[in-house]
Amino acid sequence: GAGVSQSPSNKVTEKGKDVELRCDPISGHTALYWYRQSLGQGLEFLIYFQGNSAPDKSGLPSDRFSAERTGGSVSTLTIQRTQQEDSAVYLCASSLTTHPRSAVNYGYTFGSGTRLTVV
Amino acid sequence: AQRVTQPEKLLSVFKGAPVELKCNYSYSGSPELFWYVQYSRQRLQLLLRHISRESIKGFTADLNKGETSFHLKKPFAQEEDSAMYYCALLYSGAGSYQLTFGKGTKLSVIP
């Protein structure tokens, strides 16, 4: 597609329920990133995928969080047993490759995010 | 470990006044730094990169390795500059490269 697409744009869920957030990166972008944006905390790195390599999960805050990327394209971020502190905007970004020159030359392209509210 | 610090959560300036958004970093390697901007109800987008030494929308940023800073500056603020600004550092870790962001500064330009 023309840009990074995320769905849903808004999600309200009850505490304890599971949620799935979807990201469709720019076609041809091999690198995909998930960030969490919350008030006062800026952008917190969660996970990233580079082509067919194992993802870097070092930013996931707990084992309730997981993500997968099927066919090197669409990614799904799953949060199990949601808690109120999970409320945030979840941003997805993609870049042409994970080579630093790509990130330096082109930056990341971000989606518009999914606003998750846990009540 | 790498770190990006933006000391001001909120910065208010009058239209036409100079603007400086502060960013300091901590990184043992050679830094690659960026500024990203998020306007109201829009997605986060790249504003400028230190390697290009460019001026975008009147903004410039100079990398000062001695002070480990990458402050964003504009001589005359405009109302349309009101937005959230994030400083970011590209770093290498565990064989990969990714961006670390500061917590952001909300710029409010008063008409």
Side-chain angles (χ1 to χ4, degrees):
Chain A
V4 177
S5 177
Q6 290 188 247
S7 61
S9 55
N10 279 284
K11 176 72 176 177
V12 179
T13 189
E14 291 180 353
K15 179 181 171 182
K17 295 284 179 75
D18 298 351
V19 294
E20 283 189 355
L21 313 179
R22 176 189 167 102
C23 172
D24 198 346
I26 292 174
S27 178
H29 278 195
T30 59
L32 186 148
Y33 308 81
W34 283 98
Y35 284 84
R36 180 166 67 177
Q37 183 181 33
S38 49
L39 201 60
Q41 296 301 316
L43 274 78
E44 176 188 6
F45 166 75
L46 297 177
I47 186 172
Y48 97 94
F49 298 87
Q50 45 176 349
N52 295 320
S53 301
D56 176 354
K57 304 179 182 180
S58 59
L60 294 178
S62 77
D63 57 9
R64 296 187 295 106
F65 288 72
S66 63
E68 62 178 23
R69 189 179 185 189
T70 54
S73 181
V74 172
S75 176
T76 302
L77 177 68
T78 301
I79 308 173
Q80 296 178 308
R81 305 181 301 283
T82 51
Q83 302 296 312
Q84 288 186 328
E85 61 262 30
D86 299 335
S87 296
V89 176
Y90 289 82
L91 294 175
C92 176
S94 69
S95 67
L96 193 57
T97 70
T98 57
H99 190 279
R101 290 268 66 87
S102 173
V104 170
N105 291 334
Y106 305 109
Y108 292 5
T109 301
F110 281 86
S112 54
T114 293
R115 181 175 297 278
L116 175 66
T117 304
V118 181
V119 297
Chain B
Q2 73 291 340
R3 186 165 61 238
V4 177
T5 302
Q6 292 180 252
E8 303 138 329
K9 287 186 178 179
L10 175 64
L11 181 64
S12 296
V13 301
F14 285 101
K15 177 182 174 181
V19 175
E20 182 178 67
L21 294 150
K22 291 184 167 51
C23 172
N24 288 90
Y25 67 90
S26 173
Y27 183 50
S28 57
S30 182
E32 303 271 12
L33 287 147
F34 307 79
W35 278 97
Y36 279 77
V37 61
Q38 188 170 29
Y39 301 102
S40 179
R41 290 186 291 277
Q42 294 188 27
R43 58 187 67 190
L44 195 63
Q45 57 187 283
L46 178 65
L47 179 62
L48 54 78
R49 308 158 291 168
H50 93 268
I51 62 161
S52 59
R53 304 185 67 81
E54 57 203 342
S55 173
I56 303 293
K57 298 184 179 182
F59 284 98
T60 59
D62 291 320
L63 176 61
N64 185 324
K65 291 187 178 181
E67 296 182 358
T68 59
S69 68
F70 187 56
H71 303 326
L72 183 68
K73 299 177 183 178
K74 184 170 182 176
F76 308 104
Q78 303 298 314
E79 289 179 65
E80 56 265 29
D81 296 329
S82 294
M84 195 74 180
Y85 291 81
Y86 293 94
C87 183
L89 167 72
L90 181 70
Y91 80 97
S92 164
S96 64
Y97 301 87
Q98 53 186 277
L99 285 175
T100 287
F101 288 85
K103 293 188 177 182
T105 297
K106 184 174 182 179
L107 175 64
S108 178
V109 180
I110 304 164

